Amino acid sequence: MEKSTLTLRRSHLAEMSAHCLQSLPLEGCGLLVGDMSTGQVVRVIPTKNVAMSAKLYSVDPLAHLRADRAAEEEGLAIIGVFHSHTHTDPYPSPTDVVQAPDPSWHYVLVSLRGELPSTRSYRIVSGAVQEESIDLVP
Amino acid sequence: MSVELRLPTMLRPAVNGAPSLTMEGETIGEILTTLVTEYPGLSGQVLTDDGSLHRFVNVYLNDDDVRYLDKLETKVADGDVISILPAVAGGAS
C-alpha cells in the first residue's frame, strides 16, 4: 500500500473530537469532504449514529446522500469517515476492517479512552490496515 | 424509462471509471439487474446471489431510500436519479 497523508485543519480535528465527546455514551461518527487526489479535507460533516450504539456506528444514510451531492456540486468528494472508539484504542477493529466501504477513503479513529481524545488515520485496502500521517494545517 | 444511475467511487472501476450511467428499466430491480449483467465486476457488490439488495449498499430513488419504498419493486419514471452509496458502518465491537 502506498504511503499517504491526510491533511486537516486544526479546526477539523477539534470538530471531530467535540462531536465524538457530545455523542457519548454512543460512538460518534461523520464524513470527511475534500479532494480525493490530495487527501486534503475541506470540511467535516458530523452525522447521527443511526446504530445508536456505544460499540457500533452507522452513518445516517440520508446525511450521506446529501453530503455526497453537495460535495459533487463543488467538485469535491466524500474522502473518508471518522468515528470514535469510546473505550478502546484508535485502531480499526475487525468490524471496521470488514465493513470499510471504499479502499480510496481515509478512516479516522478518535479514541476517547484517555483523558484527551486521541486521533489517528488509516487506509484500509482489501483487509490490510496501514496508518497514515495526519498533516495539521492552521 | 430512462434514468441516471450514480455510482460511488468504490464501484466505478467496474464500469470503466464512469461516475454515472444512463440506464433503461421500469423498476429499481430491473435496472440493477441490467447493471450487474452489463458489468459483471459488480456482481455480489450491489445484489446478493439470491437477487436481493446487498446490505452494504444503500440505493436511493431521487431523495428516498428504496428500502422504505417498494424495495426492488419500486417503479421509476423518466429522468429519475438513482444513487448507490456504500453503507458506512463499523465500530469498536
Side-chain angles (χ1 to χ4, degrees):
Chain A
M1 211 183 304
E2 244 176 64
K3 200 168 166 55
S4 62
T5 301
L6 181 68
T7 304
L8 292 169
R9 285 203 293 266
R10 290 187 187 280
S11 59
H12 294 144
L13 198 62
E15 201 174 349
M16 287 190 287
S17 296
H19 178 64
C20 291
L21 286 166
Q22 284 163 6
S23 299
L24 282 170
L26 309 181
E27 286 196 359
C29 60
L31 297 163
L32 307 176
V33 172
D35 183 333
M36 187 72 84
S37 62
T38 62
Q40 167 85 51
V41 173
V42 172
R43 66 175 172 272
V44 165
I45 301 185
T47 69
K48 183 178 177 184
N49 174 5
V50 294
M52 298 293 284
S53 166
K55 293 185 174 178
L56 294 170
Y57 80 92
S58 186
V59 167
D60 178 0
L62 196 53
H64 184 187
L65 178 69
R66 288 177 178 146
D68 187 73
R69 285 192 183 159
E72 192 176 297
E73 282 174 17
E74 295 171 73
L76 301 171
I78 306 289
I79 66 167
V81 58
F82 72 92
H83 77 279
S84 60
H85 282 179
T86 59
H87 292 89
T88 56
D89 290 332
Y91 189 82
S93 69
T95 308
D96 291 330
V97 175
V98 168
Q99 299 197 28
D102 193 321
S104 65
W105 278 16
H106 303 261
Y107 294 88
V108 173
L109 269 293
V110 181
S111 171
L112 303 178
R113 182 182 200 174
E115 207 167 301
L116 294 172
S118 171
T119 304
R120 300 280 186 275
S121 186
Y122 301 87
R123 306 306 289 265
I124 302 175
V125 180
S126 303
V129 177
Q130 180 174 287
E131 185 169 0
E132 64 179 354
S133 54
I134 294 179
D135 186 13
L136 280 181
V137 295
Chain B
M1 304 297 170
S2 180
V3 301
E4 179 187 357
L5 177 64
R6 295 185 179 175
L7 297 156
T9 51
M10 63 173 188
L11 299 184
R12 293 177 191 172
V15 296
N16 307 315
S20 67
L21 300 167
T22 300
M23 303 288 292
E24 302 284 336
E26 300 295 318
T27 64
I28 295 288
E30 192 181 327
I31 287 163
L32 296 182
T33 300
T34 302
L35 175 72
V36 298
T37 303
E38 289 184 7
Y39 300 98
L42 294 175
S43 182
Q45 296 192 74
V46 177
L47 297 174
T48 61
D49 290 343
D50 67 6
S52 55
L53 195 56
H54 201 294
R55 70 186 179 99
F56 286 164
V57 296
N58 294 314
V59 176
Y60 300 87
L61 174 62
N62 301 317
D63 289 337
D64 298 312
D65 188 331
V66 302
R67 285 192 174 94
Y68 300 105
L69 299 173
D70 289 327
K71 303 184 175 67
L72 294 177
E73 301 304 314
T74 304
K75 293 201 178 302
V76 302
D78 258 334
D80 277 346
V81 177
I82 299 169
S83 305
I84 303 176
L85 286 175
V88 185
S93 70

